[in-house]
Amino acid sequence: MHELNLIFPGLNTCRILVGNGILRNCATYVGESAASQSAIIITDSNVGHVYAESLLRRLEEAGIIANIITIPAGENNKNLKTVTEIYGQLARLYADRGTTIIGLGGGVVGDTAGFVASTYLRGLPLVHIPTSLLAQVDSSIGGKTGVNFEGLKNQVGTFYHAALVISDTVTLSTLPPNEFTNGVAEIIKSAVIADSELFTLLEASIDRLHPGKADLLDEAVFRTVKIKGQSVSGDEKDTSLRQLLNFGHTIGHGIETASGLSVRHGEAIAAGMIAAARISRKMNLLSSNDFLRIRSLISRAGLPLKIGGIDPEDVIQAIKHDKKIKNGKMNFVLITEPGNSLLSREVTLEMIKMSILEEDA
Ligand SMILES: NC(=O)c1ccc[n+]([C@@H]2O[C@H](COP(=O)([O-])OP(=O)(O)OC[C@H]3O[C@@H](n4cnc5c(N)ncnc54)[C@H](O)[C@@H]3O)[C@@H](O)[C@H]2O)c1
């Protein structure tokens, strides 16, 4: 099992555990992190029937009284209506400040459960048990909670850290393959911006990166977790790392918006990473060989290099609304070699448009 402990301002700590089959010992970990006598598991309609009952049994065997709240799966249910319904159930279950909220599911469950934990009774202890690859490597770390509001993504939310994150990679075996690939995009992103060893590992083994290869998957997940963890923890010296995590996301978010959110996040980020690598190549920061290595890895992961049927002008319009852009200038992430990246303010909207239109470096 891999373990990482993050310390945040105010001395809040977050213990992150990554391993294969570690849910077996979940009651011990929950007991160590939050001295609660009761817990409420918030899960969704896809994940709950597979994992919630055995989790509940293990908690109860350890003397923790547990209940399950199941919300309907899907991004459309990440909203205040769902939150209100959960508040109602918490009241009926007599949840008090000693009740630990356990979010068991993908990023939708994690964001919703985190929001509920941070607001109900002004804050309940929170544990994340992420079951999608994206949630394990990204959304369960960093303390962002929230729900969508009137069509605006994550418009209402809080910062609230979980005391404990248990990422059991066994749970990924039931994840639909396209959801798995979605998470692989974030692993590749982390390797490209900050971890040349992970990049080399992925180059050698991306075709074997699946739940059946526990050691490889655990290593890839944990390395990615460490990069996200470093970028969000209070003792992080290099504050630019958080911005470097936006690699592929400026253009990727533009693609998602221009497609009316019909393109999956991981696919949009993959196309965004290729476009950003192409700009890096054009600016002579990245060698042709390294561009091809990044391109090949993304392609071998089953991710698209380009999203068809989207007008680059619509992508540019969407990017212009990005709140990180001031006076047409943005901090844009460029690559110098796999594992090394930098922030540039020299990238223009015209360069972005060309990078989306072009086929090759
Ligand atoms: N808080 C953050 O920092 C942060 C970061 C990135 C993304 N997010 C949010 O995360 C969400 C996306 O997360 P996601 O990709 O996990 O989506 P998701 O939670 O919708 O999960 C994807 C699908 O997989 C199912 N699923 C999850 N785990 C499963 C398992 N083990 N077996 C079978 N089915 C399983 C879910 O029910 C769902 O249908 C978005 O709402 C996004 O805004 C938050």
Side-chain angles (χ1 to χ4, degrees):
M1 182 175 75
H2 302 269
E3 174 163 353
L4 178 70
N5 287 282
L6 301 177
I7 302 169
F8 299 102
L11 293 183
N12 289 325
T13 57
C14 176
R15 182 183 188 201
I16 304 172
L17 306 173
V18 176
N20 193 267
I22 60 175
L23 267 185
R24 272 194 301 273
N25 303 320
C26 59
T28 308
Y29 306 136
V30 171
E32 285 166 357
S33 80
S36 300
Q37 295 306 305
S38 66
I40 291 180
I41 301 163
I42 299 179
T43 188
D44 77 17
S45 47
N46 291 334
V47 176
H49 67 94
V50 193
Y51 301 106
E53 281 298 333
S54 60
L55 175 60
L56 179 132
R57 224 176 24 254
R58 290 201 167 99
L59 292 170
E60 296 206 325
E61 279 165 12
I64 300 170
I65 300 160
N67 282 282
I68 300 169
I69 296 177
T70 305
I71 63 173
E75 185 71 31
N76 291 345
N77 299 299
K78 198 176 105 169
N79 55 35
L80 287 174
K81 181 169 173 280
T82 303
V83 168
T84 308
E85 281 165 9
I86 297 172
Y87 288 156
Q89 295 200 52
L90 292 180
R92 286 189 286 281
L93 291 166
Y94 299 100
D96 61 27
R97 287 226 177 112
T99 303
T100 296
I101 296 292
I102 302 181
L104 170 72
V108 166
V109 165
D111 281 9
T112 309
F115 182 74
V116 165
S118 71
T119 48
Y120 194 76
L121 294 177
R122 300 196 178 88
L124 306 183
L126 173 65
V127 171
H128 282 309
I129 303 185
T131 61
S132 72
L133 185 53
L134 181 109
Q136 294 192 354
V137 298
D138 191 356
S139 62
S140 63
I141 307 150
K144 282 188 186 170
T145 86
V147 293
N148 307 328
F149 180 69
E150 295 192 349
L152 299 169
K153 212 164 145 56
N154 302 327
Q155 189 72 2
V156 180
T158 57
F159 278 100
Y160 196 70
H161 289 291
L164 173 69
V165 179
I166 308 173
S167 286
D168 186 340
T169 50
V170 163
T171 62
L172 303 179
S173 59
T174 54
L175 189 65
N178 55 3
E179 296 294 350
F180 187 85
T181 309
N182 212 27
V184 172
E186 296 292 339
I187 294 179
I188 293 178
K189 178 199 76 180
S190 297
V192 171
I193 60 162
D195 190 343
S196 59
E197 281 180 25
L198 177 57
F199 189 89
T200 309
L201 180 72
L202 294 174
E203 273 188 316
S205 56
I206 190 89
D207 322 278
R208 284 177 277 124
L209 189 68
H210 56 73
K213 288 273 175 216
D215 289 353
L216 176 64
L217 184 57
D218 290 6
E219 173 85 11
V221 168
F222 188 63
R223 278 180 171 272
T224 309
V225 162
K226 273 206 297 199
I227 291 168
K228 176 91 195 250
Q230 272 171 23
S231 80
V232 296
S233 67
D235 59 357
E236 163 56 31
K237 308 243 178 352
D238 178 9
T239 49
S240 68
L241 182 56
R242 191 184 266 257
Q243 295 187 59
L244 295 176
L245 286 170
N246 281 329
F247 174 54
H249 281 59
T250 305
I251 297 176
H253 284 155
I255 292 172
E256 280 182 286
T257 306
S259 76
L261 301 183
S262 66
V263 174
R264 310 180 71 77
H265 179 72
E267 294 176 354
I269 296 316
M273 288 193 284
I274 291 288
R278 190 172 284 134
I279 294 172
S280 310
R281 172 78 203 104
K282 284 259 151 123
M283 292 174 77
N284 279 327
L285 292 168
L286 184 70
S287 74
S288 172
N289 185 46
D290 282 343
F291 172 80
L292 292 174
R293 287 173 69 199
I294 294 169
R295 194 176 186 277
S296 159
L297 187 61
I298 290 174
S299 168
R300 283 170 59 206
L303 288 159
L305 302 174
K306 194 178 174 70
I307 306 291
I310 290 181
D311 185 346
E313 195 48 54
D314 291 345
V315 179
I316 297 301
Q317 289 309 318
I319 291 174
K320 277 186 184 169
H321 284 107
D322 191 321
K323 46 188 176 291
K324 294 186 204 79
I325 297 188
K326 301 254 160 32
N327 305 325
K329 289 271 183 190
M330 68 198 108
N331 281 336
F332 195 91
V333 185
L334 298 170
I335 302 302
T336 54
E337 61 182 337
N340 269 310
S341 50
L342 54 80
L343 287 172
S344 167
R345 291 187 67 79
E346 305 302 315
V347 176
T348 63
L349 291 171
E350 187 56 28
M351 289 159 79
I352 291 179
K353 189 171 163 183
M354 293 309 291
S355 74
I356 301 169
L357 280 168
E358 281 170 25
E359 291 295 332
D360 268 313

mmCIF file of all heavy atoms in Angstrom, residues 314-333:
data_model
loop_
_atom_site.group_PDB
_atom_site.id
_atom_site.type_symbol
_atom_site.label_atom_id
_atom_site.label_comp_id
_atom_site.label_asym_id
_atom_site.label_seq_id
_atom_site.Cartn_x
_atom_site.Cartn_y
_atom_site.Cartn_z
ATOM 1 N N ASP A 314 -15.397 28.568 -32.180
ATOM 2 C CA ASP A 314 -16.232 28.376 -30.981
ATOM 3 C C ASP A 314 -15.351 28.066 -29.765
ATOM 4 O O ASP A 314 -15.645 28.481 -28.644
ATOM 5 C CB ASP A 314 -17.220 27.219 -31.188
ATOM 6 C CG ASP A 314 -18.295 27.575 -32.208
ATOM 7 O OD1 ASP A 314 -18.436 28.770 -32.525
ATOM 8 O OD2 ASP A 314 -18.969 26.639 -32.698
ATOM 9 N N VAL A 315 -14.276 27.305 -30.014
ATOM 10 C CA VAL A 315 -13.353 26.985 -28.914
ATOM 11 C C VAL A 315 -12.715 28.283 -28.406
ATOM 12 O O VAL A 315 -12.630 28.519 -27.189
ATOM 13 C CB VAL A 315 -12.264 25.979 -29.375
ATOM 14 C CG1 VAL A 315 -11.285 25.675 -28.238
ATOM 15 C CG2 VAL A 315 -12.899 24.685 -29.892
ATOM 16 N N ILE A 316 -12.295 29.139 -29.358
ATOM 17 C CA ILE A 316 -11.664 30.412 -28.974
ATOM 18 C C ILE A 316 -12.641 31.280 -28.180
ATOM 19 O O ILE A 316 -12.285 31.860 -27.144
ATOM 20 C CB ILE A 316 -11.177 31.186 -30.242
ATOM 21 C CG1 ILE A 316 -10.104 30.378 -30.977
ATOM 22 C CG2 ILE A 316 -10.655 32.578 -29.873
ATOM 23 C CD1 ILE A 316 -8.868 30.040 -30.161
ATOM 24 N N GLN A 317 -13.895 31.312 -28.643
ATOM 25 C CA GLN A 317 -14.898 32.121 -27.919
ATOM 26 C C GLN A 317 -15.060 31.590 -26.484
ATOM 27 O O GLN A 317 -15.160 32.365 -25.536
ATOM 28 C CB GLN A 317 -16.257 32.083 -28.649
ATOM 29 C CG GLN A 317 -16.286 32.856 -29.960
ATOM 30 C CD GLN A 317 -15.753 34.284 -29.812
ATOM 31 O OE1 GLN A 317 -16.041 34.976 -28.843
ATOM 32 N NE2 GLN A 317 -14.916 34.693 -30.764
ATOM 33 N N ALA A 318 -15.069 30.257 -26.358
ATOM 34 C CA ALA A 318 -15.214 29.661 -25.016
ATOM 35 C C ALA A 318 -13.999 29.994 -24.161
ATOM 36 O O ALA A 318 -14.129 30.320 -22.971
ATOM 37 C CB ALA A 318 -15.385 28.151 -25.137
ATOM 38 N N ILE A 319 -12.795 29.941 -24.772
ATOM 39 C CA ILE A 319 -11.568 30.233 -24.003
ATOM 40 C C ILE A 319 -11.581 31.689 -23.530
ATOM 41 O O ILE A 319 -11.154 32.003 -22.417
ATOM 42 C CB ILE A 319 -10.310 29.929 -24.855
ATOM 43 C CG1 ILE A 319 -10.182 28.410 -25.066
ATOM 44 C CG2 ILE A 319 -9.053 30.476 -24.190
ATOM 45 C CD1 ILE A 319 -9.063 27.993 -26.001
ATOM 46 N N LYS A 320 -12.135 32.586 -24.373
ATOM 47 C CA LYS A 320 -12.177 34.014 -23.993
ATOM 48 C C LYS A 320 -12.969 34.229 -22.702
ATOM 49 O O LYS A 320 -12.749 35.189 -21.983
ATOM 50 C CB LYS A 320 -12.841 34.825 -25.115
ATOM 51 C CG LYS A 320 -11.901 35.208 -26.235
ATOM 52 C CD LYS A 320 -12.638 36.123 -27.185
ATOM 53 C CE LYS A 320 -11.793 36.467 -28.376
ATOM 54 N NZ LYS A 320 -12.584 37.129 -29.421
ATOM 55 N N HIS A 321 -13.932 33.319 -22.429
ATOM 56 C CA HIS A 321 -14.732 33.457 -21.206
ATOM 57 C C HIS A 321 -14.062 32.828 -19.996
ATOM 58 O O HIS A 321 -14.568 32.920 -18.883
ATOM 59 C CB HIS A 321 -16.114 32.809 -21.406
ATOM 60 C CG HIS A 321 -17.013 33.661 -22.238
ATOM 61 N ND1 HIS A 321 -17.340 33.362 -23.536
ATOM 62 C CD2 HIS A 321 -17.616 34.839 -21.961
ATOM 63 C CE1 HIS A 321 -18.123 34.306 -24.014
ATOM 64 N NE2 HIS A 321 -18.296 35.213 -23.088
ATOM 65 N N ASP A 322 -12.916 32.168 -20.238
ATOM 66 C CA ASP A 322 -12.205 31.526 -19.133
ATOM 67 C C ASP A 322 -11.811 32.585 -18.108
ATOM 68 O O ASP A 322 -11.192 33.594 -18.452
ATOM 69 C CB ASP A 322 -10.935 30.831 -19.696
ATOM 70 C CG ASP A 322 -10.287 29.919 -18.672
ATOM 71 O OD1 ASP A 322 -10.248 30.299 -17.495
ATOM 72 O OD2 ASP A 322 -9.809 28.842 -19.081
ATOM 73 N N LYS A 323 -12.189 32.324 -16.826
ATOM 74 C CA LYS A 323 -11.935 33.374 -15.825
ATOM 75 C C LYS A 323 -10.449 33.576 -15.548
ATOM 76 O O LYS A 323 -10.041 34.558 -14.949
ATOM 77 C CB LYS A 323 -12.717 33.124 -14.531
ATOM 78 C CG LYS A 323 -12.695 31.722 -13.965
ATOM 79 C CD LYS A 323 -13.671 31.627 -12.798
ATOM 80 C CE LYS A 323 -13.759 30.218 -12.243
ATOM 81 N NZ LYS A 323 -14.407 29.257 -13.148
ATOM 82 N N LYS A 324 -9.609 32.662 -16.031
ATOM 83 C CA LYS A 324 -8.170 32.822 -15.776
ATOM 84 C C LYS A 324 -7.528 33.765 -16.797
ATOM 85 O O LYS A 324 -6.357 34.098 -16.706
ATOM 86 C CB LYS A 324 -7.477 31.461 -15.829
ATOM 87 C CG LYS A 324 -7.925 30.534 -14.708
ATOM 88 C CD LYS A 324 -7.135 29.257 -14.697
ATOM 89 C CE LYS A 324 -7.882 28.126 -14.024
ATOM 90 N NZ LYS A 324 -8.919 27.511 -14.891
ATOM 91 N N ILE A 325 -8.291 34.209 -17.826
ATOM 92 C CA ILE A 325 -7.721 35.078 -18.862
ATOM 93 C C ILE A 325 -7.998 36.541 -18.523
ATOM 94 O O ILE A 325 -9.134 36.928 -18.283
ATOM 95 C CB ILE A 325 -8.300 34.716 -20.240
ATOM 96 C CG1 ILE A 325 -7.881 33.297 -20.580
ATOM 97 C CG2 ILE A 325 -7.847 35.705 -21.302
ATOM 98 C CD1 ILE A 325 -8.205 32.871 -21.961
ATOM 99 N N LYS A 326 -6.935 37.333 -18.489
ATOM 100 C CA LYS A 326 -7.083 38.760 -18.192
ATOM 101 C C LYS A 326 -6.503 39.543 -19.374
ATOM 102 O O LYS A 326 -5.345 39.332 -19.754
ATOM 103 C CB LYS A 326 -6.301 39.132 -16.917
ATOM 104 C CG LYS A 326 -6.734 38.352 -15.682
ATOM 105 C CD LYS A 326 -7.542 39.212 -14.737
ATOM 106 C CE LYS A 326 -8.392 38.448 -13.764
ATOM 107 N NZ LYS A 326 -7.963 37.179 -13.266
ATOM 108 N N ASN A 327 -7.283 40.471 -19.943
ATOM 109 C CA ASN A 327 -6.859 41.301 -21.093
ATOM 110 C C ASN A 327 -6.281 40.461 -22.228
ATOM 111 O O ASN A 327 -5.258 40.843 -22.812
ATOM 112 C CB ASN A 327 -5.823 42.353 -20.658
ATOM 113 C CG ASN A 327 -6.337 43.210 -19.524
ATOM 114 O OD1 ASN A 327 -7.530 43.503 -19.485
ATOM 115 N ND2 ASN A 327 -5.462 43.576 -18.610
ATOM 116 N N GLY A 328 -6.890 39.346 -22.512
ATOM 117 C CA GLY A 328 -6.436 38.497 -23.627
ATOM 118 C C GLY A 328 -5.159 37.727 -23.318
ATOM 119 O O GLY A 328 -4.668 36.967 -24.137
ATOM 120 N N LYS A 329 -4.577 37.944 -22.140
ATOM 121 C CA LYS A 329 -3.337 37.233 -21.758
ATOM 122 C C LYS A 329 -3.666 36.116 -20.770
ATOM 123 O O LYS A 329 -4.536 36.266 -19.915
ATOM 124 C CB LYS A 329 -2.361 38.196 -21.076
ATOM 125 C CG LYS A 329 -1.752 39.211 -22.017
ATOM 126 C CD LYS A 329 -0.495 38.669 -22.636
ATOM 127 C CE LYS A 329 0.173 39.697 -23.523
ATOM 128 N NZ LYS A 329 1.240 39.165 -24.322
ATOM 129 N N MET A 330 -2.942 35.027 -20.901
ATOM 130 C CA MET A 330 -3.198 33.909 -19.993
ATOM 131 C C MET A 330 -1.875 33.227 -19.636
ATOM 132 O O MET A 330 -0.893 33.348 -20.380
ATOM 133 C CB MET A 330 -4.125 32.915 -20.681
ATOM 134 C CG MET A 330 -3.481 32.220 -21.847
ATOM 135 S SD MET A 330 -4.676 31.466 -22.947
ATOM 136 C CE MET A 330 -4.580 32.557 -24.355
ATOM 137 N N ASN A 331 -1.880 32.524 -18.534
ATOM 138 C CA ASN A 331 -0.758 31.647 -18.217
ATOM 139 C C ASN A 331 -1.015 30.332 -18.933
ATOM 140 O O ASN A 331 -1.934 29.605 -18.566
ATOM 141 C CB ASN A 331 -0.683 31.398 -16.706
ATOM 142 C CG ASN A 331 -0.041 32.566 -15.986
ATOM 143 O OD1 ASN A 331 0.728 33.317 -16.585
ATOM 144 N ND2 ASN A 331 -0.370 32.731 -14.726
ATOM 145 N N PHE A 332 -0.227 30.058 -19.946
ATOM 146 C CA PHE A 332 -0.467 28.867 -20.762
ATOM 147 C C PHE A 332 0.649 27.860 -20.479
ATOM 148 O O PHE A 332 1.826 28.223 -20.431
ATOM 149 C CB PHE A 332 -0.479 29.252 -22.246
ATOM 150 C CG PHE A 332 -1.061 28.195 -23.137
ATOM 151 C CD1 PHE A 332 -2.416 28.181 -23.434
ATOM 152 C CD2 PHE A 332 -0.254 27.198 -23.678
ATOM 153 C CE1 PHE A 332 -2.965 27.195 -24.237
ATOM 154 C CE2 PHE A 332 -0.788 26.210 -24.482
ATOM 155 C CZ PHE A 332 -2.149 26.204 -24.772
ATOM 156 N N VAL A 333 0.291 26.592 -20.311
ATOM 157 C CA VAL A 333 1.292 25.583 -19.951
ATOM 158 C C VAL A 333 1.906 24.993 -21.215
ATOM 159 O O VAL A 333 1.195 24.476 -22.087
ATOM 160 C CB VAL A 333 0.676 24.464 -19.090
ATOM 161 C CG1 VAL A 333 1.770 23.497 -18.625
ATOM 162 C CG2 VAL A 333 -0.073 25.039 -17.900
#
